[in-house]
Amino acid sequence: MSSDGAVSEYSDLRPREKCGIIGCASEQPVATELYYGLRILQHRGQESAGIAVFEGEIKSKRGMGLVHEVLTKDDLMGFRGRSGIGHVRYSTAGSSVLDNAQPIVVKTSYGDVALAHNGEIVNAAEIREDLSRKGWAFMTTSDSEVIIRLLANELVSTGDPRRALKEFTNRLQGAYSLALLINDTVYAVRDPLGIRPLCIGEREGTMMIASESVAFDALGYRFIRDLKAGEIVELRPGGFDSFRLPHPTHSAHCMFEWVYFARPDSVIDGRLVYDARVKIGQELAREHPVDADIVVPVPESGRAQAQGYAAVAGLPLVEGLIKNRYIERTFIMPEQSEREVGVMLKLNPIRSAVKNKRVVLIDDSIIRGTTLRKIVQIVRQAGAKEVHVRIGCPPIRSPCFLGIDMKTREQFIANEKTVPEIGEFITADSLGYLSMRGLINALKQSRDDVCLGCLTGEYPIVIPGEKVRKEKPLEMFAEASRRKETRKSAVKKH
Ligand code: SF4
């Protein structure tokens, strides 16, 4: 992942979810269902898309671009299969090539297999080496190809899909939500820690699995439930069978799904994302109150948090920044100055709304801080008297190895500077981050059941060279950042 900016809509190289997945089993052709489902999941990946359906053999279409650019009406009319899977993908610059687009399809002596994967396999290199020794050839560099070759290997040796699924997941370490098509049968797999989301729904006997429940709402499906950590389901028209992998007693759901990635209208592991974000804003207002006149969200990512903040603070919520939805993504612009122009093209202030006002500006998180600095300046140039920034997540300091595209410690401003120094850098009058405790309260999950790796540097699974979580209680992290902060006086410029 290259690095820049806040984790908001305007940071050009902000962390991205790597993928969204979907699968469908029906008595009717499923290509159109998959297509619409993927369009709803488009926020989870915008660089490639594809579907695969079974019609005596697995047929697929995948390509670079948005779902509607890759799959034409003619493509959809041509697919008659009644079981299928689909995928949207984000990939880092350089690996954004068709070879890495999904679903990946392989032909084996057992039959055809297609895979759509959301997550990241930590021990992919080791498995790849092992399979290469057994004679399997690899076409791409992706960990998803490692998954499908490993599964194919088990299918060929066991001849039994259920057994193969159980066996092959024993070897996988990392985050994986999978939609699989093994000949005509759709399977969904969620890793034993439930790191990436996956849920199941039904409409008139058509069964669907999807990364987020919002796909069901929009297509008229009934949300049945989230897959449990370590659960495998086999879909058939009218129902599904479920079996469970060995799994620990706790989960490790990615906190970032609620904080930023998932759509606010999705329910993830029992918690509506919108509610979690409003609660984050409420916690933030209690932890970091400030004398101000209005609360302004960085659209869209800070909107629900700003509502929660405004309600507790008793301040009006004002849409002081308007987003241009039709400006193309700015990550293609290599120079920092050009990126900043990109922010200005995307965001415009409502001058009359912010002029002479003391503004609380709310965003979800900060990575490098350069984009947020630009946004603060835009608000200030529009006439705001003061700009106080509040962030709905503790400082991000560590890479993600589990499916979110933030890979190097150097990209995080929180590793270089104290909170007051970050406030100075982004030119805010004051800066407040949500505490770890506040975040856990807002998510309404047990601390044991969420991954906080990028905040704590301690991960829910063994990652070579990194710490495993639960070495210290959460308060220790709060203490560490407080100690750092006392070395600096609070940022106050006026
Ligand atoms: S390290 Fe952070 S982004 Fe990655 S899975 Fe854990 S909480 Fe999510």
Side-chain angles (χ1 to χ4, degrees):
M1 145 91 190
S2 304
S3 54
D4 183 27
V7 188
S8 75
E9 315 272 317
Y10 312 97
S11 34
D12 21 29
L13 286 166
R14 67 193 170 86
R16 291 184 168 94
E17 180 69 64
K18 280 195 168 167
C19 308
I21 62 171
I22 196 160
C24 207
S26 178
E27 301 283 12
Q28 310 295 326
V30 294
T32 308
E33 297 291 304
L34 296 171
Y35 170 82
Y36 284 121
L38 288 178
R39 290 206 66 174
I40 295 159
L41 297 176
Q42 188 81 79
H43 62 285
R44 296 183 74 85
Q46 296 99 41
E47 299 207 356
S48 70
I51 62 172
V53 299
F54 183 80
E55 298 177 358
E57 60 178 342
I58 291 180
K59 293 185 179 168
S60 68
K61 169 92 190 276
R62 56 188 186 143
M64 304 306 294
L66 299 172
V67 177
H68 70 277
E69 294 166 340
V70 172
L71 296 164
T72 66
K73 202 172 171 186
D74 286 347
D75 291 329
L76 298 176
M77 298 306 285
F79 285 123
R80 306 305 301 159
R82 291 176 293 178
S83 54
I85 61 172
H87 192 263
V88 285
R89 182 174 197 268
Y90 164 73
S91 57
T92 50
S95 65
S96 178
V97 292
L98 184 57
D99 275 351
N100 286 321
Q102 296 187 29
I104 305 174
V105 182
V106 297
K107 292 196 176 293
T108 73
S109 56
Y110 178 83
D112 291 358
V113 185
L115 165 77
H117 169 217
N118 176 206
E120 194 166 339
I121 302 302
V122 175
N123 62 338
E126 189 186 303
I127 299 171
R128 174 188 294 265
E129 219 179 286
D130 189 33
L131 289 174
S132 300
R133 273 198 301 271
K134 288 179 179 158
W136 289 89
F138 286 84
M139 315 297 288
T140 73
T141 53
S142 84
D143 58 347
S144 302
E145 191 188 356
V146 171
I147 297 176
I148 197 167
R149 302 268 176 221
L150 184 63
L151 174 60
N153 189 57
E154 288 296 336
L155 274 171
V156 168
S157 60
T158 64
D160 175 350
R162 288 191 180 198
R163 206 172 128 205
L165 285 167
K166 283 186 176 168
E167 295 289 331
F168 105 113
T169 45
N170 275 339
R171 292 284 314 276
L172 298 176
Q173 283 170 28
Y176 53 93
S177 281
L178 311 176
L180 289 157
L181 188 58
I182 301 179
N183 291 322
D184 62 347
T185 306
V186 177
Y187 295 89
V189 182
R190 197 172 183 198
D191 68 66
L193 289 167
I195 297 171
R196 306 255 72 86
L198 194 58
C199 50
I200 185 163
E202 180 267 347
R203 191 196 64 209
E204 293 168 3
T206 296
M207 306 305 298
M208 182 179 274
I209 56 101
S211 293
E212 290 184 36
S213 66
V214 65
F216 305 147
D217 298 342
L219 297 175
Y221 282 68
R222 175 177 64 91
F223 171 76
I224 297 176
R225 62 174 174 80
D226 294 289
L227 263 69
K228 299 185 184 88
E231 185 175 8
I232 299 177
V233 298
E234 179 182 322
L235 301 188
R236 54 185 151 70
F240 64 95
D241 294 327
S242 162
F243 46 108
R244 199 104 185 250
L245 301 167
H247 57 279
T249 51
H250 63 87
S251 305
H253 309 315
C254 170
M255 65 87 196
F256 235 10
E257 294 283 350
W258 288 287
V259 166
Y260 172 70
F261 287 114
R263 270 185 44 163
D265 41 350
S266 282
V267 177
I268 292 187
D269 292 303
R271 183 78 169 129
L272 178 65
V273 174
Y274 173 82
D275 285 351
R277 289 181 190 164
V278 170
K279 179 80 170 144
I280 281 172
Q282 292 170 348
E283 295 279 346
L284 201 48
R286 287 187 199 103
E287 290 182 5
H288 298 286
V290 61
D291 280 339
D293 302 310
I294 58 172
V295 177
V296 173
V298 173
E300 309 291 333
S301 52
R303 186 165 277 146
Q305 292 92 327
Q307 277 181 28
Y309 192 101
V312 168
L315 294 173
L317 174 69
V318 173
E319 294 288 348
L321 289 164
I322 300 301
K323 178 187 170 191
N324 183 340
R325 293 167 199 276
Y326 302 103
I327 294 291
E328 68 282 3
R329 300 229 306 265
T330 55
F331 69 85
I332 52 168
M333 297 185 290
E335 299 303 324
Q336 185 65 48
S337 58
E338 288 179 292
R339 288 181 194 160
E340 292 183 357
V341 171
V343 177
M344 297 184 77
L345 287 173
K346 282 184 172 179
L347 277 183
N348 201 33
I350 303 284
R351 284 169 206 284
S352 61
V354 300
K355 193 168 179 196
N356 294 326
K357 296 287 193 318
R358 295 170 300 170
V359 173
V360 186
L361 186 69
I362 311 277
D363 206 355
D364 54 273
S365 49
I366 303 178
I367 302 298
R368 188 177 285 272
T370 46
T371 307
L372 190 52
R373 179 174 62 179
K374 191 69 206 166
I375 295 171
V376 171
Q377 287 165 357
I378 288 172
V379 175
R380 212 182 278 288
Q381 282 159 12
K385 263 202 308 207
E386 296 170 17
V387 183
H388 301 272
V389 173
R390 298 293 179 267
I391 301 297
C393 173
I396 298 174
R397 303 177 192 279
S398 302
C400 176
F401 303 95
L402 301 168
I404 301 299
D405 198 12
M406 23 187 215
K407 288 287 175 263
T408 61
R409 283 189 163 77
E410 295 71 49
Q411 74 195 92
F412 303 115
I413 193 170
N415 282 332
E416 307 285 320
K417 299 179 190 297
T418 62
V419 172
E421 285 169 344
I422 296 169
E424 274 174 24
F425 177 79
I426 63 173
T427 72
D429 290 283
S430 72
L431 170 65
Y433 283 92
L434 185 65
S435 70
M436 208 78 78
R437 183 63 60 200
L439 176 65
I440 295 295
N441 287 345
L443 300 186
K444 290 201 169 151
Q445 304 281 322
S446 155
R447 186 265 155 118
D448 284 350
D449 288 331
V450 285
C451 177
L452 302 169
C454 51
L455 308 178
T456 62
E458 298 181 354
Y459 298 88
I461 55 175
V462 177
I463 292 165
E466 303 291 338
K467 291 182 189 157
V468 181
R469 80 174 183 183
K470 293 184 180 171
E471 290 180 354
K472 293 191 283 281
L474 285 180
E475 285 68 19
M476 297 276 298
F477 295 100
E479 270 307 305
S481 56
R482 255 200 300 278
R483 274 201 302 278
K484 249 185 159 184
E485 280 167 43
T486 51
R487 297 207 313 266
K488 293 275 166 186
S489 57
V491 184
K492 259 314 192 186
K493 292 211 181 70
H494 49 94

